Amino acid sequence: MLSDNVKLGDEHAPHRSLFNALGFTGEEMRKPMVGIVSSYNEIVPGHMNIDKIVDAVKLGVAEAGGMPVVFPAIAVCDGIAMGHIGMKYSLVTRDLIADSTECMARAHQFDALVMVPNCDKNVPGLLMAAARVNVPTVFVSGGPMLAGHVHGKKTSLSSMFEAVGAKKAGTIDEEELRYFDEHTCPTCGSCSGMYTANSMNCLTEAIGMGLRGNGTVPAVYSERLRIAKMAGYAVMDMLKKNIRPRDILTKEAFMNALTVDMALGCSTNTMLHLPAIAHEAGIELNMEIANEVSDRTPNLCHLAPAGHTYMEDLNEAGGVYAVMNELSKKNLLNLDCMTVTGKTVGENIASVTNKNTEVIRSIDDPFMNEGGIAVLKGNIAPDTGIVKRSAVAEEMMVHSGPARVFDCEEDAIKAIYEGKINAGDVVVIRYEGPKGGPGMREMLNPTSAIAGMGLGSSVALITDGRFSGASRGASIGHVSPEAAVGGPIALIEEGDIIKIDIPANRLDVDVPDDVLEERRKKWQPREPRVKDGYLARYEKMVTSGNRGAILELGSQ
């Protein structure tokens, strides 16, 4: 066992003395040492219950013969960080989480790990760490929030942001806005729609690193505690069988995850996180393959914000495994992939049935014949532009209109709220990419403002930043190359006609190549917005969004 390096032999007596200082018994020190990575804190609603999940994991590990040892991981609440400088610190935590977990795991020679994340960057960050450290590892999340109830209708955080736009437009008053903010987020847990946190927790099941229900069982259900105990049992079984993350995180497993992603209609942030996780597993996952997967994968779910069903509904319908069972009926998954259960994907999903075909459509009656996400290309986005196709109104699937150009999110928000954006416009927000931000902020505030002011089916938004899973509408993000490195989005001028054709996977500006080239000759790089601290270091190392915004020395 790895932990023997700090426990056995005379030369490790100093290490044992420190374990004694921790109160460990000799019996405990003879057991495998299992690190439990807890992202518990008191600022993120999706993490406030994780202390209870961790306690249940500890019981499971101990009952199965291991020595559980807890250490922490940080977490940022994207909802609280949204719309101000705090959002620059969201995506960047993914790498801090991966790095710090790697440091803790290797410095202390843990034999196995149980990761307990929940909200947005914790899941991919800890998956990246799992691939690096490569000791037996199981994931168990804090679980999703129950949906809110406003005037008898289920709702979620995206409705709250849109209510702000409605207030600005004068369609609701202060009292109604207050009613929304008191009834939208009723419990602990990750926000109740198919946003980034829930997308990544569901994909952890799909890729084989989480037990059934990890992505969908609500945070407040006691079933969540049972899953946590079973995660403790499972990691000890993996240790005995020597099943490691890189045995699970294969190319085929990532293709399964992409396929389930398309069927569920996940957040566009998965197009950042899956390549980054694959990179840590030694696999190149080019996002251009996403359209191939999408073309053959029907979209089976329209969870909020794409529709009016929520994570609790998906759970009751059979969860991720039921979606996977539907996909398997047309041989869309590799069923031989290994999982943390010690069984294959095919064995895991064999007996699971779809209990509600309104929530999870039959494979023969999908919401759409193509997947929920599309990768667009064109003279604005030579590398990529990403859109959540399943959340776009039919009338906006093909759209052209004049560019309204803003060099930061704040300027765009001000124009939207002041009524300066008109039906038919295409809002362009640039210099918000991984380097330009820095940190590639989410644009939930602008998209929600557009929707709340009644422009969601007539105004598009494109950015080299990214979108929350809570965004809906013709919202095209991850435009690469980004403006900060001279990508074509930097060359767009006010009034240029932008052409969006989502069925054809195209994103173009109607400007001749020679004119764009003349503009390029005049373009000058901007001074970095942040000159000190972690963000300044991040800006120097981060790569393009189409590569997953991974960190490399000397990146461009």
Side-chain angles (χ1 to χ4, degrees):
M1 293 187 296
L2 282 175
S3 62
D4 290 348
N5 293 329
V6 292
K7 293 189 300 187
L8 297 185
D10 292 347
E11 66 274 24
H12 295 303
H15 304 101
R16 288 198 299 276
S17 73
L18 294 170
F19 284 119
N20 286 326
L22 288 166
F24 293 154
T25 66
E27 177 64 26
E28 285 177 312
M29 281 189 267
R30 285 188 287 274
K31 296 176 179 179
M33 189 164 64
V34 180
I36 301 172
V37 187
S38 170
S39 59
Y40 167 78
N41 63 47
E42 295 182 343
I43 190 63
V44 185
H47 292 233
M48 63 181 284
N49 65 318
I50 278 177
D51 56 340
K52 297 175 178 60
I53 304 296
V54 166
D55 286 345
V57 173
K58 289 174 68 176
L59 279 173
V61 168
E63 287 178 359
M67 181 176 77
V69 182
V70 179
F71 65 89
I74 64 167
V76 164
C77 177
D78 278 19
I80 295 173
M82 194 72 65
H84 55 91
I85 191 173
M87 182 44 68
K88 294 179 185 289
Y89 287 91
S90 170
L91 177 61
V92 304
T93 65
R94 184 186 72 183
D95 297 274
L96 284 173
I97 292 161
D99 292 348
S100 60
T101 302
E102 173 197 350
C103 291
M104 289 292 288
R106 286 183 169 160
H108 300 102
Q109 294 290 282
F110 287 102
D111 297 302
L113 298 167
V114 179
M115 308 294 199
V116 191
N118 208 26
C119 292
D120 296 12
K121 309 308 167 292
N122 292 82
V123 187
L126 291 177
L127 281 165
M128 289 163 69
R132 284 186 203 170
V133 178
N134 201 35
V135 297
T137 303
V138 176
F139 277 67
V140 54
S141 77
M145 183 183 293
L146 293 177
H149 290 267
V150 174
H151 303 310
K153 293 183 179 180
K154 286 184 178 181
T155 190
S156 59
L157 185 65
S158 53
S159 302
M160 188 68 247
F161 277 90
E162 290 176 15
V164 176
K167 170 66 166 52
K168 294 282 186 182
T171 56
I172 66 171
D173 59 17
E174 181 69 27
E175 183 179 354
E176 179 70 355
L177 182 64
R178 196 66 52 223
Y179 187 86
F180 263 87
D181 72 46
E182 290 174 354
H183 294 86
T184 295
C185 297
T187 71
C188 62
S190 48
C191 295
S192 57
M194 188 53 80
Y195 308 153
T196 304
N198 292 326
S199 295
M200 290 307 304
N201 282 321
C202 286
L203 294 188
T204 301
E205 284 190 61
I207 211 166
M209 290 295 292
L211 300 177
R212 181 184 178 187
N214 179 62
T216 60
V217 172
V220 295
Y221 283 15
S222 296
E223 185 182 354
R224 174 67 48 187
L225 299 178
R226 294 197 294 274
I227 294 172
K229 290 174 186 175
M230 288 188 288
Y233 304 154
V235 79
M236 293 304 295
D237 187 56
M238 290 176 71
L239 186 59
K240 290 174 187 173
K241 295 175 179 176
N242 195 30
I243 300 172
R244 298 169 182 256
R246 291 196 183 191
D247 300 322
I248 295 169
L249 297 173
T250 61
K251 180 73 177 220
E252 293 76 17
F254 281 99
M255 295 303 293
N256 280 351
L258 269 175
T259 301
V260 175
D261 189 338
M262 297 300 173
L264 284 172
C266 289
S267 163
T268 52
N269 280 312
T270 61
M271 298 294 105
L272 280 175
H273 299 322
L274 288 175
I277 299 160
H279 176 75
E280 298 294 349
I283 295 165
E284 182 180 352
L285 191 66
N286 191 321
M287 279 300 95
E288 291 184 18
I289 201 171
N291 283 342
E292 294 178 31
V293 177
S294 182
D295 286 346
R296 62 175 178 260
T297 307
N299 178 230
L300 304 181
C301 299
H302 265 191
L303 293 134
H308 301 289
T309 53
Y310 296 83
M311 295 306 297
E312 61 204 65
D313 302 312
L314 177 60
N315 185 62
E316 290 168 11
V320 176
Y321 277 19
V323 174
M324 294 175 75
N325 187 278
E326 287 290 344
L327 293 169
S328 72
K329 293 175 183 176
K330 290 199 173 178
N331 300 315
L332 294 174
L333 296 175
N334 186 313
L335 302 181
D336 295 326
C337 291
M338 180 51 62
T339 73
V340 294
T341 66
K343 298 178 180 178
T344 65
V345 167
E347 290 172 316
N348 285 342
I349 69 173
S351 61
V352 182
T353 58
N354 182 355
K355 298 176 182 177
N356 187 337
T357 54
E358 294 301 311
V359 177
I360 304 171
R361 289 284 186 91
S362 158
I363 194 74
D364 296 315
D365 182 33
F367 283 102
M368 300 188 305
N369 290 321
E370 301 83 21
I373 292 175
V375 177
L376 311 185
K377 286 199 171 192
N379 65 356
I380 295 175
D383 292 336
T384 56
I386 306 291
V387 64
K388 188 170 182 175
R389 173 166 48 195
S390 58
V392 178
E394 184 62 34
E395 57 269 32
M396 291 297 290
M397 297 294 275
V398 177
H399 177 77
S400 65
R404 306 297 308 279
V405 183
F406 304 94
D407 287 349
C408 67
E409 177 189 5
E410 288 81 0
D411 290 349
I413 279 284
K414 186 172 184 290
I416 295 166
Y417 283 154
E418 289 179 354
K420 295 179 179 178
I421 303 301
N422 304 306
D425 287 348
V426 179
V427 176
V428 178
I429 305 177
R430 62 194 182 190
Y431 295 99
E432 290 285 7
K435 284 185 176 295
M440 202 178 186
R441 288 194 287 182
E442 289 185 344
M443 301 293 153
L444 177 57
N445 269 3
T447 58
S448 298
I450 287 168
M453 297 187 76
L455 297 169
S457 59
S458 61
V459 169
L461 193 155
I462 68 171
T463 180
D464 52 7
R466 60 196 178 95
F467 294 107
S468 164
S471 291
R472 62 187 177 99
S475 304
I476 302 163
H478 307 204
V479 170
S480 301
E482 63 174 294
V485 299
I489 192 172
L491 310 179
I492 298 172
E493 295 183 357
E494 186 82 6
D496 286 348
I497 299 301
I498 306 291
K499 293 185 174 182
I500 299 166
D501 190 338
I502 295 173
N505 301 318
R506 295 294 305 180
L507 177 62
D508 295 282
V509 58
D510 191 14
V511 174
D513 291 345
D514 59 336
V515 174
L516 288 176
E517 189 54 39
E518 285 301 312
R519 292 179 185 179
R520 181 176 300 284
K521 291 175 183 176
K522 298 175 184 176
W523 178 83
Q524 294 292 324
R526 303 288 182 94
E527 279 290 309
R529 283 174 168 157
V530 179
K531 296 183 174 14
D532 58 13
Y534 179 63
L535 287 179
R537 298 197 301 276
Y538 182 87
E539 185 270 332
K540 289 179 173 63
M541 297 176 67
V542 71
T543 62
S544 175
N546 72 302
R547 296 187 58 203
I550 60 172
L551 300 186
E552 288 181 347
L553 292 174
S555 67
Q556 290 294 324

